[in-house]
Amino acid sequence: MHQLVISNTIFKQKTKYKTTWMHPRSKHWHLIDYIIVRQRDIGDVRRHTRVVCGASATGLSDHRLVRSKLLLSFHRVASHFSCPKLQKLNVRQLSDPSISLQLRNALSTNLQDLDSAFLSHSSDNINRSWDEFHDIVYKTFCEVLGKSQRKHQDWFDQNDTVINHLLDDMHHAHHLWLLDKKDHSKADAYHRARKLARDKLSAMKNDWWLQKAKHLQLAADQQDYSSFYRGLSEVFGPTIKTIAPLQAADSSSLLYSHQEILQRWA
């Protein structure tokens, strides 16, 4: 009914590795100590469950120690109530005085109706009031500043139109050749279109990287480190900083926060 299994008897081994207690009169050994697991977890019992002979400190005990090797894996419980991730805002536009003034006026207009709502809400509805305030402010910022765009650049971003024309010509020539593979002129046209696309794409890539390298080298020579690191970030993308988890002292969990890891080593 409970779908349990005794792990002492599922492995083929000698009787002296199964029995755990000796009768004081007959001196016969019996199996009275068990390690019970669920049937679905029987695969986690590694190698065997057996008695350790001579484990007693004095050697005078009529009991033997039972040992079982298990494979235990701990998984983090996923939270089903995670907050939605908000997109980043383009806060660089705040350096423009006209944008700042427009944002200030938009906030004043949108928050006028919320002032009376805050006064009417009781302390029990403070969470609802905060949610309304948060939604209005975030919506206003999105309308005025807009969402932050992708900063990562690549060599084909500035040549999308030319690249699409080259690929379309190559695919069209390949399609005509597949319809009539016996026509050598169509095969030659396809090979020429493929070679032209390959050469021009390679040239575009080399030119883009040469221009970027000159720009970064000029910034480094002028000791303009702000432009230098900004150019590196645009080419290689932002750096993702992660902290490797550390096992706790009692080996019961993993530590992920920076403060907990410092306390563990301290």
Side-chain angles (χ1 to χ4, degrees):
M1 179 178 66
H2 299 287
Q3 297 182 349
L4 301 177
V5 62
I6 299 176
S7 62
N8 304 55
T9 57
I10 62 176
F11 298 100
K12 185 178 180 180
Q13 51 191 347
K14 295 181 179 179
T15 305
K16 65 179 181 179
Y17 296 125
K18 297 180 183 179
T19 55
T20 59
W21 174 76
M22 184 180 63
H23 194 277
R25 295 181 181 177
S26 63
K27 304 299 181 182
H28 290 170
W29 287 90
H30 303 272
L31 176 60
I32 62 173
D33 301 298
Y34 309 97
I35 295 180
I36 302 175
V37 297
R38 290 179 295 185
Q39 290 184 359
R40 66 178 184 179
D41 298 331
I42 194 63
D44 295 337
V45 182
R46 295 298 180 181
R47 295 182 63 86
H48 51 260
T49 298
R50 58 173 292 179
V51 171
V52 181
C53 299
S56 175
T58 61
L60 302 178
S61 175
D62 57 353
H63 271 273
R64 289 176 177 174
L65 178 67
V66 184
R67 181 190 66 182
S68 181
K69 293 183 179 181
L70 305 176
L71 176 64
L72 302 179
S73 57
F74 300 93
H75 301 281
R76 298 184 64 183
V77 179
S79 176
H80 300 285
F81 302 97
S82 58
C83 299
K85 187 177 181 180
L86 301 178
Q87 295 186 4
K88 294 183 178 180
L89 301 173
N90 188 11
V91 295
R92 289 189 176 183
Q93 295 193 30
L94 291 175
S95 58
D96 188 353
S98 61
I99 298 294
S100 299
L101 180 60
Q102 181 183 356
L103 178 62
R104 191 180 303 113
N105 295 334
L107 283 175
S108 300
T109 303
N110 294 335
L111 292 177
Q112 285 180 356
D113 299 333
L114 196 62
D115 293 338
S116 58
F118 269 117
L119 296 176
S120 61
H121 287 172
S122 61
S123 59
D124 297 336
N125 297 328
I126 190 64
N127 292 331
R128 185 162 62 90
S129 302
W130 167 253
D131 292 338
E132 294 176 0
F133 174 77
H134 175 272
D135 295 340
I136 291 177
V137 172
Y138 182 74
K139 183 179 179 181
T140 305
F141 270 77
C142 291
E143 292 175 353
V144 178
L145 301 181
K147 304 296 180 59
S148 178
Q149 302 297 326
R150 182 175 64 93
K151 301 178 182 179
H152 180 63
Q153 298 179 2
D154 215 327
W155 64 272
F156 46 78
D157 291 336
Q158 302 175 358
N159 305 296
D160 283 342
T161 305
V162 180
I163 292 174
N164 288 332
H165 286 310
L166 290 173
L167 294 179
D168 290 341
D169 294 341
M170 185 187 68
H171 293 157
H172 180 66
H174 184 240
H175 179 68
L176 295 178
W177 176 55
L178 289 178
L179 294 178
D180 187 10
K181 281 196 172 185
K182 295 182 180 180
D183 192 342
H184 296 287
S185 62
K186 294 180 180 180
D188 295 338
Y190 164 64
H191 292 304
R192 285 195 302 269
R194 185 178 64 177
K195 184 177 184 302
L196 178 63
R198 183 185 303 164
D199 294 343
K200 287 204 170 185
L201 290 177
S202 179
M204 291 177 188
K205 183 177 181 180
N206 291 335
D207 293 341
W208 188 86
W209 278 108
L210 286 175
Q211 293 295 329
K212 279 295 179 182
K214 291 180 180 179
H215 174 72
L216 293 175
Q217 186 62 45
L218 179 62
D221 295 340
Q222 296 177 351
Q223 296 184 356
D224 186 3
Y225 297 112
S226 176
S227 300
F228 179 75
Y229 286 109
R230 184 167 59 251
L232 287 179
S233 178
E234 290 175 352
V235 173
F236 296 103
T239 303
I240 301 176
K241 296 181 180 180
T242 58
I243 299 178
L246 180 67
Q247 193 174 30
D250 54 358
S251 302
S252 61
S253 61
L254 293 177
L255 306 179
Y256 291 90
S257 67
H258 184 68
Q259 188 66 26
E260 291 178 347
I261 293 177
L262 287 180
Q263 293 178 357
R264 166 71 172 86
W265 285 117

